[in-house]
Amino acid sequence: MKQLRRTSLVIEAGQGSSLYWQDLWRYRELFYFLAWRDVVVRYKQTLVGIAWVLIRPLITMVAFTIVFGKLAGLESKSPGIPYPILVFAGMLPWQLFSDSLSRVSTSLVSNSHVVSKVYFPRLIVPVSAILVSFVDFLVSNILLLALMAWYSFAPSWRVLTLPFFVLLTCLTALALGLWLAALNVKYRDFSHLTPLILQFGVYISPVGFSSSIVPDRWRLLYSLNPLVGIIDGFRWAVLGRGTQVHWLGFTLSVGLVIVLLATGLWYFRKTERTFADVI
Amino acid sequence: MPDPVISVENLGKKYILSHQQQRSTNLREVISEGAKTLGRRFFKPSDVPATRTKPSEVEEFWALRDVSFEIEQGDVVGIIGGNGAGKSTLLKILSQITEPTTGRIKVEGRVASLLEVGTGFHPDLTGRENIYLNGAILGMGRVEIKRKFDEIVEFAEVEKFIDTAVKYYSSGMYVRLAFAVAAHLEPELLIVDEVLAVGDVSFQKKCMGKMGDIATNEGRTILLVSHNMGSIEALCTKAMLLVGGQIKQFGSAHDVVLSYLEPIYQSKSPLKKFANCTRRGNGKLQIISFHMESPEGTVLEAIKSGDAVVFVFGFENINTQPYERFSIGFSIHLSLHMGQEMGLHYGCLSHYASHFSQVHFRDPPDHGYVRCGFSELSLSPGEYILASYVMVADEEADRPHLPIPITVLPGDFYRTGTAMEKDMWGPLLVKGEWELSAAKDDLSMSQASVRQTP
């Protein structure tokens, strides 16, 4: 039943809602409903439905294994680990990240009809966009399990740390995505920029190869790309032996993500009050 | 006295209008503009203020200014005003969609706003799924929606199609479902923007009934924007008249509605110009003025019952082709309590257009007049309202939402040599030949009537 407690709301010029974080809690189910809508709608009127989630990473994995592993001959540099698993363990976080980022950055604009007509804490929109990608990610994990079973590759205790890296991936996407989403409301240029970042990112991140092929003196610089730490961490958690994380670089990545997230939240909160006016 | 549910102090909302050749915010422009300013500031610091404010390109527009009011628990407040008076802006600020530029608002209790019917409906989802989605967007929890689900479906009358994607719904069903979800919100304060004008008449009645229920039985506070003065008067206890972003009047609904309609009736000039009114139609030919004159051509302020009169419609030809035929029509109405946009059918006494008499005009000049002369005006003394429209090539070209008042004075309609009484029983006057005769034979009369209806 409805709570009888009176809530008192104050709206003041230049202040935003006084109940923002309370509202975020009150609207918590909207996170779920927006994500659920996107998941359900995506596979309506399709023949194979949810199978699309599996087809995409499978084909990319095959392509990367052939291009990087065979043609470029990188397979020999990571002995002991079946190359498809190596690629796939890198591709899972990458796809979670790239999917999330492209969804988050367009989330506000594609929900503009709702944003301009109803109030709720706008932060729900980008966060629920990440939930959608997270669902895809969970499904794709089945493929990884299948691959590992095929190559009789048993994970170690480290696999228990995986949720931490998954969370880090989502936060990285959110951090960058908040900036892009908020900027995209005003400057649609950013909807062109995001695919560019992602297209570029897949080559400068260690998706199709192991980051161990980067010379040691460049490793710290390379870590400025937060995806390097994340993908390394993923491989470390899933594959165990034969992979190592550049921990100093990893700390640097995490620090960078925290800074990005804090500023992203700040910018988002600052501009969200005017979204309805400019969207 | 109870505490106000809403108190608003000095509320203002400013929009910046930029009058540049199609200034969509483009990142390149912003960067280059920023670089220029930075450069100027670097080299010539004194120049900066002058380049910052560009009066020719940027104009401030206050959609709302110095708005202060208080609303008490259980009030149903109608907000009225012409287009651009700031009604929707006020609702948007109260429902937190956009923030005010100045001022402070204090609201007690949970707010739900309904600025549009069916916000967030997704065409690919089924009716059932959309109820949940829309409910969540409007702020209901899953448990709450589940509890009210059957009630919502029943109210919307879509039981049979509840598992069909709403893109296959008729527009009426769609709107009914959308309203039903919103109507089952249980906020302490409900904000509604012109959503009652949806669906067919019987559903509109149902919606009005529901709104009335919410207000009277459940004691909730409602803020309502509508152009339909009838529903404002029927539903609201109070009304607020906004003009140019400011409150002109705030008081009992009846008084405010009357004073809103007043200026339209009180313009004393016999020539009514249709300058700033809202219009419907494709705009090929627009009515720009109306006046009445005598057959000799004298402009009349008022007319008398039984007089000969000519209605003169001034028009401007916007882009009617010479070969396109056009006609002008008008209707005469009784009620003074008529809305500007809706309700023109209410109290309609007569409707007449040139094409009824098979009169079609062609090749209109840029500016011109269409005249319609009556040999005898058969209206009782009193106040009437005239609404006019234009058809070009059988399509609606113009329908100005500006009711024109017509004053009819007592006249010698019956040709007795003296003016008739002012108070007549009805608006329409008839007269005929009166005759007295003695009954000849009852049988022959009934036979005659039998013969006439075989």
Side-chain angles (χ1 to χ4, degrees):
Chain A
M1 284 309 290
K2 193 116 313 91
Q3 72 274 35
L4 289 169
R5 185 176 54 86
R6 287 320 266 305
T7 46
S8 170
L9 164 76
V10 176
I11 307 170
E12 223 164 329
Q15 294 255 305
S17 164
S18 57
L19 302 171
Y20 193 82
W21 302 105
Q22 229 168 301
D23 278 348
L24 205 59
W25 175 248
R26 193 160 71 78
Y27 279 93
R28 63 193 179 277
E29 288 185 356
L30 194 53
F31 285 106
Y32 162 78
F33 275 112
L34 285 184
W36 165 82
R37 174 196 66 185
D38 288 347
V39 171
V40 171
V41 164
R42 200 147 42 120
Y43 300 113
K44 289 239 166 171
Q45 288 205 350
T46 60
L47 283 175
V48 295
I50 200 89
W52 280 113
V53 180
L54 299 178
I55 293 170
R56 209 159 48 112
L58 202 64
I59 289 172
T60 322
M61 186 265 291
V62 170
F64 276 22
T65 307
I66 293 170
V67 172
F68 288 104
K70 306 279 183 217
L71 297 181
L74 297 176
E75 197 168 13
S76 54
K77 294 201 175 172
S78 50
I81 301 165
Y83 210 77
I85 298 185
L86 183 95
V87 167
F88 211 80
M91 221 169 54
L92 277 179
W94 170 256
Q95 270 194 342
L96 175 59
F97 170 78
S98 72
D99 231 52
S100 300
L101 187 65
S102 55
R103 257 171 219 292
V104 170
S105 62
T106 54
S107 60
L108 286 170
V109 173
S110 57
N111 281 296
S112 61
H113 55 290
V114 181
V115 168
S116 59
K117 291 289 180 191
V118 190
Y119 165 78
F120 49 81
R122 306 303 186 208
L123 204 51
I124 293 175
V125 176
V127 173
S128 71
I130 288 193
L131 287 182
V132 177
S133 313
F134 183 69
V135 172
D136 283 6
F137 169 78
L138 287 183
V139 178
S140 322
N141 268 310
I142 299 170
L143 270 183
L144 181 67
L145 288 178
L147 269 179
M148 289 170 83
W150 177 262
Y151 286 102
S152 333
F153 192 95
S156 68
W157 60 269
R158 294 181 192 171
V159 81
L160 295 176
T161 61
L162 204 58
F164 168 72
F165 293 107
V166 175
L167 184 71
L168 192 64
T169 316
C170 292
L171 288 182
T172 310
L174 186 66
L176 203 56
L178 283 180
W179 273 104
L180 291 173
L183 285 167
N184 201 15
V185 170
K186 196 159 185 196
Y187 309 106
R188 296 291 144 89
D189 305 63
F190 285 90
S191 56
H192 302 284
L193 188 67
T194 317
L196 211 67
I197 294 176
L198 293 174
Q199 210 174 21
F200 205 61
V202 74
Y203 294 106
I204 59 166
S205 305
V207 180
F209 49 88
S210 164
S211 61
S212 58
I213 66 164
V214 175
D216 268 347
R217 57 201 160 102
W218 296 115
R219 279 302 282 276
L220 208 59
L221 187 68
Y222 195 44
S223 302
L224 283 178
N225 173 1
L227 264 296
V228 173
I230 288 170
I231 293 173
D232 281 354
F234 239 80
R235 289 200 172 122
W236 175 82
V238 174
L239 308 174
R241 61 204 146 117
T243 58
Q244 71 268 43
V245 179
H246 191 278
W247 289 110
L248 183 62
F250 184 74
T251 320
L252 186 69
S253 295
V254 173
L256 200 70
V257 169
I258 290 172
V259 171
L260 257 180
L261 188 63
T263 54
L265 267 175
W266 164 80
Y267 185 72
F268 192 88
R269 287 282 286 127
K270 191 172 81 108
T271 49
E272 95 179 301
R273 287 174 265 129
T274 57
F275 282 171
D277 295 335
V278 289
I279 202 161
Chain B
M1 213 170 98
D3 277 347
V5 183
I6 307 176
S7 55
V8 173
E9 292 162 29
N10 299 322
L11 193 69
K13 173 78 184 174
K14 182 176 72 177
Y15 285 102
I16 305 284
L17 310 174
S18 31
H19 299 295
Q20 227 183 17
Q21 64 289 356
Q22 199 230 340
R23 177 161 187 139
S24 58
T25 17
N26 181 299
L27 192 63
R28 187 177 56 79
E29 282 171 24
V30 170
I31 292 173
S32 66
E33 202 63 22
K36 265 189 234 161
T37 327
L38 196 71
R40 285 208 199 93
R41 188 183 303 185
F42 197 72
F43 296 112
K44 279 192 236 166
S46 58
D47 255 14
V48 174
T51 50
R52 270 275 176 87
T53 51
K54 295 173 190 154
S56 58
E57 290 168 16
V58 176
E59 188 189 318
E60 287 181 358
F61 169 72
W62 287 85
L64 281 178
R65 199 161 207 176
D66 296 331
V67 171
S68 305
F69 60 90
E70 285 186 349
I71 290 173
E72 277 152 32
Q73 168 83 45
D75 278 351
V76 181
V77 180
I79 301 173
I80 54 183
N83 286 341
K87 304 181 298 281
S88 297
T89 308
L90 179 60
L91 292 200
K92 274 193 172 181
I93 293 174
L94 285 174
S95 44
Q96 286 182 271
I97 291 165
T98 179
E99 65 158 0
T101 316
T102 63
R104 187 172 194 274
I105 300 170
K106 200 160 173 251
V107 182
E108 302 285 340
R110 185 177 155 184
V111 184
S113 57
L114 192 55
L115 300 196
E116 184 189 68
V117 159
T119 309
F121 261 46
H122 198 290
D124 280 326
L125 296 178
T126 68
R128 182 187 303 277
E129 291 165 336
N130 268 310
I131 289 179
Y132 279 94
L133 177 66
N134 192 230
I137 288 176
L138 293 174
M140 283 194 254
R142 206 177 341 174
V143 183
E144 191 182 347
I145 303 170
K146 204 171 229 164
R147 184 159 48 82
K148 292 179 188 160
F149 188 85
D150 291 335
E151 222 180 305
I152 292 173
V153 175
E154 195 191 329
F155 188 87
E157 303 160 23
V158 292
E159 290 92 340
K160 266 203 283 186
F161 309 98
I162 197 63
D163 288 311
T164 309
V166 296
K167 64 180 169 187
Y168 301 121
Y169 278 28
S170 74
S171 55
M173 282 158 64
Y174 184 93
V175 159
R176 287 208 301 272
L177 184 65
F179 183 84
V181 179
H184 288 80
L185 278 170
E186 282 176 6
E188 278 114 24
L189 171 65
L190 182 64
I191 294 175
V192 185
D193 188 1
E194 196 77 74
V195 285
L196 295 174
V198 297
D200 54 20
V201 177
S202 72
F203 189 72
Q204 272 185 33
K205 264 194 188 147
K206 202 167 161 180
C207 296
M208 293 274 288
K210 182 78 189 170
M211 298 272 290
D213 271 2
I214 293 174
T216 51
N217 301 343
E218 303 170 30
R220 298 221 193 85
T221 314
I222 301 181
L223 250 75
L224 172 81
V225 162
S226 181
H227 284 285
N228 185 341
M229 296 304 136
S231 54
I232 293 271
E233 276 200 89
L235 273 178
C236 301
T237 50
K238 285 184 178 172
M240 180 190 297
L241 173 58
L242 287 176
V243 175
Q246 287 175 315
I247 298 183
K248 200 180 170 206
Q249 199 183 354
F250 186 31
S252 95
H254 181 74
D255 293 349
V256 177
V257 165
L258 269 189
S259 70
Y260 171 57
L261 293 176
E262 210 168 311
I264 298 160
Y265 300 120
Q266 279 196 340
S267 153
K268 279 289 173 227
S269 158
L271 178 70
K272 311 294 181 191
K273 290 214 168 137
F274 293 38
N276 297 314
C277 64
T278 54
R279 293 165 185 271
R280 218 168 68 188
N282 61 26
K284 284 185 162 179
L285 192 108
Q286 291 190 331
I287 301 178
I288 53 169
S289 71
F290 172 80
H291 69 272
M292 296 179 292
E293 56 186 40
S294 69
E296 294 78 36
T298 323
V299 176
L300 300 171
E301 249 178 72
I303 42 175
K304 295 202 294 274
S305 298
D307 277 5
V309 64
V310 183
F311 285 1
V312 185
F313 300 91
F315 66 81
E316 186 178 354
N317 178 14
I318 308 294
N319 57 354
T320 308
Q321 302 304 317
Y323 55 84
E324 286 178 314
R325 65 182 195 180
F326 72 97
S327 67
I328 284 189
F330 63 88
S331 50
I332 295 174
H333 303 258
L334 188 57
S335 172
L336 273 171
H337 300 270
M338 194 174 58
Q340 250 189 302
E341 306 228 342
M342 228 187 100
L344 280 176
H345 297 294
Y346 181 68
C348 180
L349 289 175
S350 182
H351 168 211
Y352 182 51
S354 63
H355 61 260
F356 290 9
S357 303
Q358 302 254 322
V359 175
H360 294 277
F361 302 102
R362 273 174 218 276
D363 197 8
D366 288 348
H367 283 93
Y369 295 99
V370 167
R371 287 183 159 77
C372 179
F374 304 91
S375 55
E376 197 174 66
L377 185 77
S378 47
L379 284 174
S380 299
E383 299 286 332
Y384 299 90
I385 287 154
L386 181 128
S388 52
Y389 66 92
V390 186
M391 305 288 287
V392 173
D394 301 325
E395 279 177 23
E396 186 177 74
D398 186 33
R399 190 180 286 271
H401 289 303
L402 187 76
I404 298 292
I406 294 177
T407 306
V408 179
L409 302 170
D412 187 13
F413 177 73
Y414 303 115
R415 307 286 174 235
T416 58
T418 50
M420 60 211 285
E421 281 177 43
K422 197 172 177 180
D423 290 325
M424 301 299 290
W425 285 355
L428 267 183
L429 299 176
V430 290
K431 62 181 174 188
E433 308 295 321
W434 295 94
E435 195 186 284
L436 172 76
S437 65
K440 284 172 205 154
D441 189 346
D442 277 74
L443 188 71
S444 68
M445 259 186 81
S446 65
Q447 273 174 344
S449 62
V450 166
R451 239 176 273 129
Q452 272 170 10
T453 51

